[in-house]
Amino acid sequence: MDRFSWTTGLLELGETLVVQQRGVRLSDGEEKVKFDSGVLLLSTHRLIWRDQKNHECCIAVPLSQIVFIEEQAAGIGKSAKIVVHLHPASSNKEPGPFQSSKYSYIKLSFKEHGQIEFYRRLSEEITQRRWESIPTGQAMQVNKDSQAGRIRAVGIVGIERKLEEKRKETDKNISEAFEDLSKLMEKAKEMVELSKSIANKIREKQGDITEDETIRFKSYLLSMGIANPVTRETYGSGTQYHMQLAKQLAGILQTPLEERGGIMSLTEVYCLVNRARGLELLSPEDLVNACKMLESLKLPLRLRIFDSGVMVIELQSHNEEEMVAAALETVSEKGSLTADEFAKLVGMSVLLAKERLLLAEKMGHLCRDDSVEGLRFYPNLFLTQS
Amino acid sequence: QAKYKERGSVLAEDQLAQMSKQLETFRTNLQEFASKHKHEIRRSPAFRLQFQDMCATIGVDPLASGKGFWSEMLGVGDFYYELGVQIVEVCLALKHRNGGLITLEELQQQVLKGRGKFAQDVSQDDLLRAIKKLKVLGSGFGIIPAGGTFLVQSVPAELNMDHTVVLQLAEKKGFVTVSEIRAGLGWETERARQVLEHLLREGLAWLDAQAPAEPQFWLPGLFSELYSQEITPEEAREAIP
């Protein structure tokens, strides 16, 4: 930590901010220091840290002081860190918080995440060394003396070697994970090939499989996440799972639908259901597939797809066309309405309000006035007054 | 048995039985993998990305169903499906300001804020994958490449190639003029005006008719000064070094 200097924190002319991150703690090697909670800024020339509570407390170190950096993954109760190895401080360095330090590296703890992006940007800046080509307003502590730099580097070779070993071990853990992943994927690939072969045989009728077996096949595809080779759908539609899900949904959605005038967009349903579940959430495709089965299972809800592609769930008892008549009355009372205004009046989402007005228009009850001020609907006087 | 040998080829039913067995084995392998590396997937966007890419290469969609092995055992499903919910909520909250168009950067910032200090990191790749799944729900989610990043559309506004191209042009400064479209895209005035008027109608653009040289069409979804409205005065001071 003795490589840092006090600074105002203002960027020099020619210095550009690259990235910043809140919630960063500095450590002097393995030891905690008082720089507990701050904003870390990376510029083209320096690494700057400013205390979040006391903005006067601001320190910086030139990027040229950095030998190399490494990532330290997060652990239980520990934030992810970046370890920054530094050259010894140059003799003409501006005064800073520490006169000396027994460590040649510091640690940046990312208590509020952001380490991945920061590491990436810091690596880039160290590689590009933009501070060498862009002169700045104030004299920077640039390590121009490359000859001396080389001699200094030799001095910390022992430390570097130890760190290299430690890095290799971390790398080994990661590479083991990747190796295991590759092996797993090989096996998954075999499953994909097999399913393709089965689908082909079904198509070419090489051996009849029963309806039961078809359902089994679809559920295997679902488990593996393999697109159904016959229909090209990326889900095993019409599986037992989706049937059960459809029935569950009918139960869960009855009350929410009644509270919302009998109709909800599929996106609203997705959020509602998943928020309630908390765990073992539904995928969007699960939801769509289950809803597609509502009608055939004779449940009291149905899926409806508007011309625009918007998908909704309606109570069977809900009649959108009847709602259109009510909408016409509302619009007539006010003279004209936009989807936003109508939504506010009636207490609906803008998405569904717009669909209702569009449906009314399609049925001939409303006319549109499409201008730069927005889309406005009027009662269709051509129809009523002709 | 003899009949089977006569045919000389394996029947679909036999392969199905084979698949059933292999599936069980795979399930065990995945279970083992999960016990060793499950936390890696949830914690590391880099590892997640690798995982997703490999799945795509072999033709497997780990996010297709919450009932899939991947989702159940690795917990990838819950991660992305929950992210989907958070994305929907953020877009809904900001829609009145940006008309349903937001940069991927801002979306990431807002989602991370909502997730709180102790939640896992979320990368832009994670967001894009979650959004691709949300499209299936039909409420207008879309991804528009622009200026090396992406714009996220969250309302079913019809945007064709012309609209998209103008958005991409506007991405640099957050606004665009008819002259800039003529110069940058080589279009006639009428074509430029039609596109801009469509964006106004859809609530994605605002008109500054009092701009010095000519009217400027601003896209709230694109400029970053707007989202500083949500930060505290303290944060605002910190944002300026």
Side-chain angles (χ1 to χ4, degrees):
Chain A
M1 280 296 301
D2 63 331
R3 278 65 157 177
F4 276 88
S5 305
W6 292 112
T7 178
T8 56
L10 294 171
L11 294 177
E12 317 289 2
L13 226 58
E15 186 181 14
T16 320
L17 182 65
V18 174
V19 68
Q20 65 184 50
Q21 179 61 43
R22 288 168 52 97
V24 179
R25 173 172 59 218
L26 295 186
S27 305
D28 181 20
E30 299 303 323
E31 288 171 12
K32 286 210 171 106
V33 289
K34 64 181 179 185
F35 301 111
D36 194 60
S37 192
V39 183
L40 188 66
L41 299 105
L42 171 67
S43 79
T44 44
H45 292 66
R46 298 178 291 168
L47 198 58
I48 306 169
W49 185 94
R50 186 174 57 237
D51 194 314
Q52 268 167 230
K53 296 198 193 70
N54 173 18
H55 295 269
E56 304 288 295
C57 176
C58 191
I59 53 177
V61 65
L63 294 183
S64 55
Q65 291 288 100
I66 298 177
V67 177
F68 71 94
I69 60 174
E70 50 180 348
E71 287 177 286
Q72 214 173 66
I76 305 167
K78 293 197 176 125
S79 321
K81 297 178 179 54
I82 298 178
V83 183
V84 183
H85 299 276
L86 301 161
H87 288 297
S90 52
S91 47
N92 56 348
K93 173 185 89 70
E94 299 285 311
F98 290 84
Q99 298 294 57
S100 64
S101 166
K102 61 183 191 201
Y103 296 98
S104 67
Y105 64 96
I106 57 164
K107 287 193 182 182
L108 313 169
S109 291
F110 288 78
K111 300 193 287 186
E112 290 179 37
H113 304 293
Q115 72 281 1
I116 291 170
E117 183 67 8
F118 205 93
Y119 181 85
R120 186 173 74 82
R121 300 302 202 114
L122 184 54
S123 298
E124 263 176 34
E125 290 305 318
I126 297 173
T127 313
Q128 287 180 9
R129 304 180 77 87
R130 286 197 271 178
W131 66 83
E132 281 176 356
S133 46
I134 307 170
T136 52
Q138 225 180 61
M140 300 296 295
Q141 314 300 325
V142 174
N143 226 351
K144 284 230 181 91
D145 195 347
S146 55
Q147 183 77 346
R150 233 176 286 133
I151 294 169
R152 270 187 236 132
V154 165
I156 56 173
V157 127
I159 301 171
E160 283 182 357
R161 206 182 290 137
K162 225 205 259 172
L163 291 160
E164 180 66 20
E165 279 170 28
K166 190 170 126 202
R167 198 164 31 142
K168 276 199 187 124
E169 223 212 293
T170 314
D171 282 346
K172 201 180 78 160
N173 291 338
I174 295 174
S175 58
E176 193 194 325
F178 279 126
E179 217 183 280
D180 286 348
L181 183 63
S182 302
K183 287 196 199 121
L184 191 72
M185 288 299 169
E186 278 304 313
K187 300 202 174 82
K189 191 165 158 194
E190 285 169 24
M191 304 289 295
V192 175
E193 296 306 320
L194 188 54
S195 70
K196 282 194 192 143
S197 175
I198 295 174
N200 278 333
K201 289 196 192 322
I202 294 175
R203 243 199 309 260
E204 293 162 26
K205 301 214 168 62
Q206 284 180 24
D208 296 319
I209 66 168
T210 65
E211 205 182 295
D212 251 357
E213 285 170 329
T214 307
I215 293 178
R216 260 174 61 206
F217 183 49
K218 282 188 181 171
S219 76
Y220 296 162
L221 295 178
L222 183 74
S223 296
M224 288 297 301
I226 298 172
N228 187 331
V230 180
T231 64
R232 296 251 147 257
E233 293 168 330
T234 51
Y235 34 76
S237 57
T239 65
Q240 289 279 42
Y241 170 61
H242 293 112
M243 271 198 275
Q244 282 171 2
L245 194 52
K247 291 179 190 155
Q248 273 178 31
L249 287 171
I252 299 169
L253 296 174
Q254 185 75 24
T255 311
L257 277 169
E258 282 165 11
E259 287 169 359
R260 289 165 179 72
I263 184 170
M264 282 173 77
S265 76
L266 211 54
T267 311
E268 277 179 82
V269 172
Y270 175 79
C271 291
L272 188 87
V273 170
N274 275 341
R275 278 260 174 251
R277 282 170 84 110
L279 285 177
E280 290 179 18
L281 305 182
L282 300 181
S283 75
E285 276 147 300
D286 285 336
L287 185 60
V288 172
N289 280 311
C291 291
K292 282 185 178 167
M293 301 185 80
L294 288 170
E295 197 120 36
S296 60
L297 290 172
K298 306 221 184 323
L299 293 163
L301 324 171
R302 61 166 169 252
L303 174 70
R304 179 174 181 160
I305 306 177
F306 288 113
D307 292 342
S308 60
V310 168
M311 295 161 80
V312 299
I313 299 295
E314 298 179 319
L315 288 171
Q316 283 284 8
S317 57
H318 178 88
N319 188 331
E320 188 66 10
E321 279 71 7
E322 273 174 16
M323 305 306 285
V324 160
L328 173 59
E329 260 190 58
T330 313
V331 174
S332 304
E333 267 170 47
K334 298 287 178 181
S336 73
L337 288 173
T338 63
D340 276 323
E341 291 165 355
F342 180 62
K344 267 206 198 87
L345 258 177
V346 175
M348 282 179 88
S349 71
V350 178
L351 185 79
L352 295 181
K354 188 165 179 191
E355 289 303 323
R356 187 164 294 172
L357 294 174
L358 287 172
L359 185 61
E361 182 192 30
K362 187 172 168 184
M363 289 167 66
H365 298 301
L366 295 178
C367 264
R368 70 166 57 193
D369 174 21
D370 209 351
S371 72
V372 292
E373 276 148 22
L375 180 57
R376 188 165 281 278
F377 290 89
Y378 291 80
N380 183 0
L381 299 175
F382 294 109
L383 197 65
T384 55
Q385 289 181 6
S386 52
Chain B
Q1 195 74 352
K3 194 167 111 183
Y4 178 94
K5 279 191 188 141
E6 237 170 76
R7 290 227 187 168
S9 61
V10 182
L11 303 174
E13 315 110 285
D14 297 319
Q15 281 199 315
L16 205 61
Q18 187 190 352
M19 186 168 186
S20 172
K21 268 176 68 189
Q22 274 188 244
L23 206 70
E24 269 317 302
T25 313
F26 183 79
R27 201 172 187 283
T28 313
N29 290 329
L30 184 55
Q31 191 82 283
E32 213 188 295
F33 179 84
S35 65
K36 281 161 82 183
H37 306 295
K38 181 173 176 172
H39 61 281
E40 199 68 51
I41 292 215
R42 289 192 76 86
R43 228 182 32 202
S44 165
F47 194 64
R48 246 190 329 269
L49 179 59
Q50 184 73 1
F51 169 75
Q52 291 277 16
D53 279 346
M54 287 174 125
C55 284
T57 306
I58 62 171
V60 153
D61 182 2
L63 300 181
S65 171
K67 206 65 183 159
F69 285 164
W70 309 99
S71 191
E72 282 189 328
M73 281 183 259
L74 289 181
V76 250
D78 276 8
F79 177 86
Y80 286 96
Y81 307 147
E82 188 185 7
L83 191 55
V85 173
Q86 290 162 347
I87 292 170
V88 169
E89 290 174 347
V90 163
C91 288
L92 204 62
L94 297 175
K95 198 175 74 149
H96 67 283
R97 261 204 337 221
N98 57 33
L101 193 70
I102 188 173
T103 60
L104 192 57
E105 272 83 16
E106 188 180 352
L107 181 62
Q108 185 183 24
Q109 282 220 359
Q110 299 282 2
V111 165
L112 283 173
K113 224 166 67 174
R115 283 165 75 93
K117 287 189 190 186
F118 303 103
Q120 293 112 352
D121 217 347
V122 165
S123 69
Q124 292 187 358
D125 181 79
D126 291 331
L127 292 169
L128 289 173
R129 287 184 201 274
I131 293 167
K132 285 203 183 93
K133 285 297 162 191
L134 287 176
K135 276 193 194 193
V136 159
L137 298 172
S139 293
F141 270 91
I143 296 168
I144 303 167
T149 175
F150 294 92
L151 302 178
V152 175
Q153 186 188 348
S154 60
V155 291
E158 282 164 34
L159 296 180
N160 60 29
M161 282 263 14
D162 272 9
H163 305 129
T164 310
V165 145
V166 167
L167 285 178
Q168 289 166 341
L169 192 63
E171 195 269 340
K172 298 188 199 72
K173 295 188 290 178
F175 72 89
V176 76
T177 62
V178 171
S179 309
E180 283 168 355
I181 296 176
R182 281 172 55 95
L185 301 174
W187 289 1
E188 296 296 318
T189 304
E190 187 52 36
R191 185 175 174 188
R193 273 185 356 105
Q194 284 209 13
V195 167
L196 292 169
E197 278 171 20
H198 180 84
L199 294 176
L200 282 176
R201 274 199 296 270
E202 294 290 351
L204 299 176
W206 296 347
L207 174 61
D208 178 7
Q210 290 173 339
E214 63 176 294
Q216 292 173 343
F217 294 80
W218 286 81
L219 289 118
L222 298 183
F223 49 102
S224 49
E225 291 90 279
L226 252 204
Y227 57 80
S228 67
Q229 283 173 26
E230 229 89 83
I231 67 178
T232 64
E234 261 220 50
E235 289 170 324
R237 260 183 280 133
E238 279 175 33
I240 309 162

